[in-house]
Structures are given as structure tokens and as C-alpha cells.
Amino acid sequence: MSITGTFDAPIFNPDGSFSESGIIKATDTKGNVSNPLAVLFQFPRPIPVRPKPVLPTGLTQWLKGDLVVATDNDVIKDIEVVNGRIVIEAANASVSNYIVRGGKNPGYSTALVDATNAKAVNAKLSHGLLIPNNPSVGWDAFMGHDITADDFEVQGTIDGIGTFNTHGPNDNCRYTNGLIHNLVRLPDKAQPNGYSHSDGDQDQGEAGLYMRNMDITGITSALMIGPNVGAISGLDIQYCWLNASLDTVISYATVNITTRNGKPMPKMGAISNNRFGRGSLHPVAIENGADCELLGNVWDDTGLPIPIKYQA
């Protein structure tokens, strides 16, 4: 006997569960077809598995100074950058089983993994630890575009991730199974309040930021979404743990979504089905005119839906 059917598009509920209805028919071995039967399937909200990064072991190379990847398709593994950065300036670079420790204060904003170069395309990194020897306002962890990073831990930087592309319309960034925590907040004359804003991720514009199974604790916010470089679209951030500073004066919102000078920001994408800690004054704050899907987000301790702060 075989069973065939047609199904409608799934219906998603505010708590992240979903249902799907359809019509099925059974056909026996002689070809006789049963009367159609209406069915309804209901699925609970999935609970993701908290990430446990597979950190580097068995290193065989130690480098002082920047590791500049300038050859397409280069493969680098089992390395510790003792006093510098990984700088991607080529296509299809692969870096695995790595540690990056930075150096002295660079004097400008950069990152332990810097992929801001126009030639940086499709960089892939796995099994990494990013922790600066000398935390300063110049050190983020990841910065740029066209980065795929899996199984990593970040601590001791200002921002965990800085997402933007000044060379084209797409960010093309994918971050999975990462732990971002213990960020630092330091005096910074460039900021209005005199201190760094230390975010798990600051997305400043362009299209395509994908996150899954991330555990992010920021200080100012876990996610700061604002079109400083260009319009934001293609957000796909789901099944993550998000939290921010326990000081609600410092952290207004765990997820902060802004527009550009109040102008509408349509179709930004989705930040859905995530679990929130209670560190900020608001779990999500979104400016009027920002069009971002926010479904299925819940408190981690109770599983209940989080409130959303809409503001002018």
C-alpha cells in the first residue's frame, strides 16, 4: 500500500510551533484508491542544542605577526597566530584548527579575522579560538564579508562580529555553532558616552547574514542591527541563545534594530525562534519603519514569548 497527499503551506504560531494540513489518499496493491482523508499535523517549537565549540588541539605552527592569505584556494590548518591577525585577501581560503591572539592596540578598528578586502570571497573557518592578548578598542573578533565560520569561541574583544561590505551589495556571512562571551567595554573617545559599544554582532548593512546555534552574550547588545553602511536584507538568525549585560543602563535591548534617520527599512529578514536571557531592559527593541520578522522568540527560563519594544 502507498500513501500520497497534498499539503498546504505550514502555519507558524507566535511561540515557534507550527501546523500543517493536507489531504491524503491510500492506494492498495491492486490500484484501488481510498476516499480522501483530511489530516492535520502539529509540531512543537524545536529546542536547539546549545553549542559546544570544538576548540583547537594538535597545533603544529606558531606565527608572530599577521597571517595574510593572499592566494586563492589556500588551505591553512593547525596554526596559532601568536601576535597578529588573520587577514583574508583572496578567494576560497580555508583555515581550520586555529587560534588568533592579536597583538598590541592596533590604533584603529580591525579584527582578529579581517575579511574586509574586496578580494575576500568565500572564506571558510572552523574550530577556532579568538582571544586577544591585549584587549583594546581596536580588536573585534570577525570583521567583513563572505565569511563562513563554524565551531568557534570568542572572548575578550569589543564586538564579536562586525558584518558589512563596502565593496558590493552582499555580506554573505554564515556563523554556526559559535560561543561569543566575556566581551570587554573600554574607554573610547569615538563614542558619544565615552565607552565602547560592545555587541555580540553589529550588522551595519547589505544582504545575507545567517546564524544558527549561536550562543551570544554581548554587553551593549547581542545583536545590533543598523544600516550604517547600506540597507539591510536577508537576515536569517534562528535557533540561537541571545543575552546582554546584566546592567540595564548599559544594555537597552538584547536585540536592537534601527533604521537610517527614520527612513523605512523594508524586508530586512527574520530574527526568529531564538531563546533570550534577561540581561537587558528589553529583549527586542525595533524602530518604527524597520520591517523584520520576529516570530517564535521566547524567554530561555520559561519558554514564554518575549515582549517587543516598538519605538519611534
Side-chain angles (χ1 to χ4, degrees):
M1 178 180 290
S2 62
I3 298 176
T4 59
T6 57
F7 292 87
D8 299 325
I11 298 173
F12 289 89
N13 302 313
D15 66 352
S17 63
F18 66 96
S19 57
E20 193 165 11
S21 59
I23 302 294
I24 62 172
K25 298 178 181 179
T27 303
D28 63 21
T29 55
K30 296 181 179 181
N32 299 312
V33 181
S34 70
N35 292 325
L37 175 66
V39 294
L40 174 65
F41 296 103
Q42 293 182 311
F43 302 89
R45 180 185 187 278
I47 297 177
V49 178
R50 203 154 197 150
K52 294 182 179 179
V54 179
L55 298 179
T57 59
L59 302 178
T60 59
Q61 305 177 73
W62 291 265
L63 175 67
K64 291 184 178 180
D66 289 348
L67 170 61
V68 180
V69 183
T71 303
D72 290 352
N73 305 306
D74 209 353
V75 176
I76 300 164
K77 62 182 179 179
D78 305 332
I79 189 167
E80 179 173 350
V81 182
V82 178
N83 189 24
R85 310 169 293 163
I86 296 176
V87 182
I88 308 294
E89 297 182 351
N92 305 314
S94 174
V95 182
S96 62
N97 205 46
Y98 64 96
I99 298 175
V100 191
R101 298 194 182 277
K104 65 181 182 179
N105 186 345
Y108 59 96
S109 181
T110 183
L112 301 177
V113 174
D114 185 325
T116 56
N117 190 282
K119 296 179 181 180
V121 179
N122 194 35
K124 295 184 178 180
L125 300 101
S126 60
H127 311 313
L129 174 63
L130 299 91
I131 177 170
N133 288 326
N134 299 294
S136 73
V137 294
W139 287 124
D140 293 343
F142 294 95
M143 179 181 289
H145 54 89
D146 291 276
I147 298 171
T148 295
D150 181 62
D151 273 342
F152 62 89
E153 180 175 346
V154 168
Q155 56 178 304
T157 60
I158 298 297
D159 286 349
I161 298 169
T163 308
F164 61 90
N165 188 355
T166 58
H167 309 290
N170 298 309
D171 290 326
N172 295 327
C173 286
R174 298 173 66 91
Y175 294 96
T176 55
N177 302 305
L179 173 61
I180 298 174
H181 65 128
N182 292 340
L183 302 180
V184 294
R185 182 173 184 259
L186 299 173
D188 184 354
K189 295 180 180 179
Q191 300 301 323
N193 66 355
Y195 281 87
S196 61
H197 64 83
S198 302
D199 308 309
D201 169 75
Q202 183 178 14
D203 187 348
Q204 300 190 63
E206 311 310 342
L209 172 60
Y210 175 99
M211 287 185 175
R212 288 293 188 279
N213 208 44
M214 294 286 294
D215 189 341
I216 303 175
T217 300
I219 295 179
T220 308
S221 64
L223 303 176
M224 180 70 74
I225 311 295
N228 298 328
V229 174
I232 293 174
S233 63
L235 291 173
D236 187 359
I237 301 172
Q238 300 192 62
Y239 309 117
C240 298
W241 282 263
L242 305 173
N243 204 0
S245 170
L246 295 177
D247 186 337
T248 55
V249 175
I250 297 173
S251 180
Y252 179 73
T254 299
V255 174
N256 204 339
I257 305 170
T258 65
T259 61
R260 181 187 295 169
N261 300 322
K263 295 180 180 179
M265 190 60 57
K267 298 181 179 179
M268 298 175 76
I271 303 175
S272 297
N273 300 311
N274 301 293
R275 303 183 76 85
F276 281 72
R278 294 183 180 267
S280 299
L281 187 61
H282 302 288
V284 174
I286 181 170
E287 288 186 1
N288 293 334
D291 178 13
C292 185
E293 181 180 292
L294 299 165
L295 298 177
N297 295 308
V298 299
W299 293 116
D300 189 43
D301 55 1
T302 65
L304 296 175
I306 61 164
I308 298 172
K309 173 70 174 178
Y310 294 94
Q311 54 193 18

